[in-house]
Amino acid sequence: MNLVSAIFRFALKLVLIAAAAVFALSLIFVALLSLVWVLLKALLTGRKPAFVTTFQRFNQARQQFKRGGFGAAGPSGVGGFGHSASAADVVDVQAHEVRNDQALPYAPNADRH
């Protein structure tokens, strides 16, 4: 009885190892097939794959942060978020409420409960 259970356990281990190997190889095969498909599509259409352009954008953003942020003088030389306006660009205005009573769902003097 002990010999039969040992043989059964050994056979079960072999089957599980074989199933795991088939599963892993099928995942690798699907990944390689997908990569080939993306590269062939890129060659036929002449457009870079999305993951390539995404990594390029991340690299560009990383380089801009190394240079001092998005407001630093980059390729265009125009400031972005870090752009500091000169004194001539600043305009003082009087703040006031802008109302359009016609757009309100209630009349201006109506009870608003």
Side-chain angles (χ1 to χ4, degrees):
M1 190 71 162
N2 197 10
L3 180 63
V4 174
S5 65
I7 292 173
F8 181 72
R9 280 188 300 210
F10 182 71
L12 186 62
K13 285 180 184 179
L14 286 179
V15 168
L16 289 176
I17 290 173
V22 167
F23 181 71
L25 289 175
S26 65
L27 285 178
I28 291 172
F29 178 73
V30 167
L32 288 176
L33 193 65
S34 299
L35 181 64
V36 168
W37 170 255
V38 167
L39 291 177
L40 280 177
K41 185 178 173 186
L43 283 174
L44 292 176
T45 61
R47 301 173 90 191
K48 289 182 181 179
F51 64 87
V52 172
T53 55
T54 302
F55 285 123
Q56 286 176 344
R57 288 180 186 155
F58 279 131
N59 264 345
Q60 289 172 353
R62 186 173 51 90
Q63 293 299 325
Q64 284 180 328
F65 277 120
K66 278 186 177 178
R67 285 194 303 261
F70 284 103
S76 63
V78 177
F81 290 114
H83 176 67
S84 61
S86 66
D89 292 340
V90 177
V91 178
D92 287 332
V93 295
Q94 180 65 37
H96 65 280
E97 181 181 4
V98 178
R99 273 188 80 150
N100 184 0
D101 289 335
Q102 318 242 314
L104 298 175
Y106 48 81
N109 295 328
D111 190 20
R112 299 180 186 173
H113 289 229

